[in-house]
Amino acid sequence: MSLEIWLAFIVATSFISATPGPNMLLMLSHGARYGWRATTATMSGAILGLALLLGLSALGVSSVLAASPLLFMALKIAGALYLIYLGYQCWYAGSKLSLPSGNANTTASRFKTGLAVALSNPKAILFAAAFLPQFLTPNAPQAPQWLILLSSFFIIEITWQLAYALGGMSLARWLESGRRIQIFNRCCALAFFAVGAALALAKIH
């Protein structure tokens, strides 16, 4: 892998990771609710979820999903419903920054939520299978290249997740009144609804 190819991967991945998707939206929401340190539990779950999806892609599950529209549809509908459920939780959070769930403030709960949100998007498996191989040099050893790409990917992803969590924490300082908090919760809810709907309507290709 040449330096030019690696730099192209860095730029492309940075823009893709920065896009406000389910993971980043969750980091923003949890950053505002619990602070960035507590949100590291959410980040850990999300990173583990991404690692599992990449592992499934490497095992060839991406080919199975691409060849089975019905299975892909079932998985993404389940993921979309979970995101919509998170939106429901945010909508009824009212004027509080904590979610209605009684155990929402626990480290384990945040970790599980991060993991579930990351796993809620089966399209990520197909993305990994289609995106990452474009930056590999076929006639060069594969293992070192995969190590470089995956290490770079996770460093970029973690950096952006932390940035969103810090952004949410800064936003929390502005949310002084119950009215502003309610608006924030409703905006998060609508965003989760939109992402869930987009996932449900996504096509394989």
Side-chain angles (χ1 to χ4, degrees):
M1 180 191 303
S2 67
L3 177 62
E4 290 76 11
I5 292 178
W6 179 72
L7 290 177
F9 173 79
I10 294 297
V11 171
T13 303
S14 296
F15 278 107
I16 292 171
S17 293
T19 304
N23 290 341
M24 297 307 169
L25 176 58
L26 183 65
M27 300 312 153
L28 178 69
S29 176
H30 277 202
R33 299 174 194 284
Y34 313 119
W36 75 268
R37 287 183 178 84
T39 305
T40 56
T42 314
M43 293 170 54
S44 299
I47 292 300
L48 176 59
L50 287 173
L52 291 174
L53 291 179
L54 289 174
L56 290 173
S57 178
L59 290 173
V61 175
S62 57
S63 299
V64 176
L65 291 180
S68 178
L70 184 61
L71 176 60
F72 179 79
M73 174 69 71
L75 289 175
K76 72 188 184 76
I77 289 298
L81 289 175
Y82 180 71
L83 294 176
I84 291 172
Y85 167 74
L86 289 180
Y88 171 85
Q89 289 281 87
C90 289
W91 187 270
Y92 287 101
S95 58
K96 297 180 179 180
L97 279 180
S98 58
L99 293 174
S101 297
N103 63 345
N105 291 322
T106 67
T107 299
S109 176
R110 290 192 298 275
F111 176 85
K112 291 176 182 178
T113 301
L115 177 62
V117 168
L119 293 176
S120 70
N121 186 6
K123 200 174 179 73
I125 299 177
L126 302 180
F127 166 79
F131 178 71
L132 293 177
Q134 296 183 35
F135 299 91
L136 296 172
T137 302
N139 58 354
Q142 296 295 297
Q145 294 185 80
W146 277 104
L147 179 61
I148 292 172
L149 290 180
L150 291 177
S151 298
S152 302
F153 171 80
F154 282 110
I155 289 173
I156 293 170
E157 183 72 14
I158 291 171
T159 300
W160 275 114
Q161 287 188 13
L162 182 59
Y164 270 78
L166 288 169
M169 189 175 68
S170 299
L171 181 62
R173 296 169 185 157
W174 178 78
L175 298 173
E176 299 174 352
S177 68
R179 179 60 178 168
R180 287 179 178 177
I181 293 174
Q182 187 175 37
I183 292 174
F184 172 76
N185 285 333
R186 293 293 171 87
C187 288
C188 285
L190 292 174
F192 274 119
F193 291 153
V195 172
L199 176 60
L201 297 174
K203 297 181 180 179
I204 294 180
H205 301 292

